[in-house]
Amino acid sequence: MDLQSPPTEAPQQPERTERRGLLIVNTGDGKGKSTAAFGLALRAHGRGKAVKVYQFMKVPSARFGEHRAFEALGLPVEGLGDGFSWKSKDLEHSAELARQGWARAAALINAGEHFLVVLDEITYPLIYGWLPLDEVVQTLSQRPRDVHVVLTGRDCPPEIVAIADTVTEMRKVKHAYEAGIPAQRGIED
């Protein structure tokens, strides 16, 4: 009887095709979607790769923990929104900011000069109908070959899931907020 412990990683598979940029989706109702995307951004930045992080729901002046860390590391992050939609006093303005932000993000993706582009919380403007889904799908499908793109947010549209290379669904089992514990500085912000 073999008492060896099982491997912690899948055995290396032979590469079947050339390397290329991946389309990665972090979705679901659990915590960690943005955090996972930021981890990839840090990994790529640490390898000297060109990285850009766009945050569709954060204001340009946001100073959350990730902004402070990215700034210290020289990793560019840009807030494109006006905060959380449920707090917005002018949803059409919020929608316009999302459209302008998407135009900038799409141009950067299409330029092909960045190794990794993070589209944090982009699913929300897609769900709200603020961004044209067909255009987003087309841009992601036809992006330059070596550009990796990570999308985050709940309820990712199935059209994007269908074209993605890697999709991870974060599933909430329980959350401290449900027990009356408020958001914690350094954990949620």
Side-chain angles (χ1 to χ4, degrees), residues 163-175:
I163 64 168
D165 297 294
T166 300
V167 178
T168 300
E169 183 175 4
M170 311 316 199
R171 184 178 62 87
K172 180 182 73 169
V173 175
K174 65 191 248 184
H175 194 289

Side-chain angles (χ1 to χ4, degrees), residues 144-160:
R145 178 173 175 75
D146 295 325
V147 176
H148 300 271
V149 180
V150 182
L151 294 82
T152 73
R154 294 174 186 241
D155 302 316
C156 187
E159 294 87 347
I160 292 176

Side-chain angles (χ1 to χ4, degrees), residues 85-165:
S85 59
W86 59 86
K87 293 182 178 179
S88 179
K89 293 176 175 50
D90 184 353
L91 287 177
E92 184 46 45
H93 176 68
S94 300
E96 182 56 31
L97 289 174
R99 287 188 289 272
Q100 291 171 8
W102 168 247
R104 285 202 300 283
L108 186 105
I109 290 167
N110 286 326
E113 297 172 0
H114 282 71
F115 175 81
L116 175 65
V117 179
V118 175
L119 305 175
D120 187 41
E121 300 178 328
I122 191 172
T123 64
Y124 305 109
L126 286 167
I127 293 164
Y128 302 154
W130 297 349
L131 299 179
L133 179 59
D134 291 345
E135 180 183 317
V136 173
V137 168
Q138 181 179 4
T139 298
L140 296 173
S141 296
Q142 297 175 0
R143 71 191 185 283
R145 178 173 175 75
D146 295 325
V147 176
H148 300 271
V149 180
V150 182
L151 294 82
T152 73
R154 294 174 186 241
D155 302 316
C156 187
E159 294 87 347
I160 292 176
V161 169
I163 64 168
D165 297 294

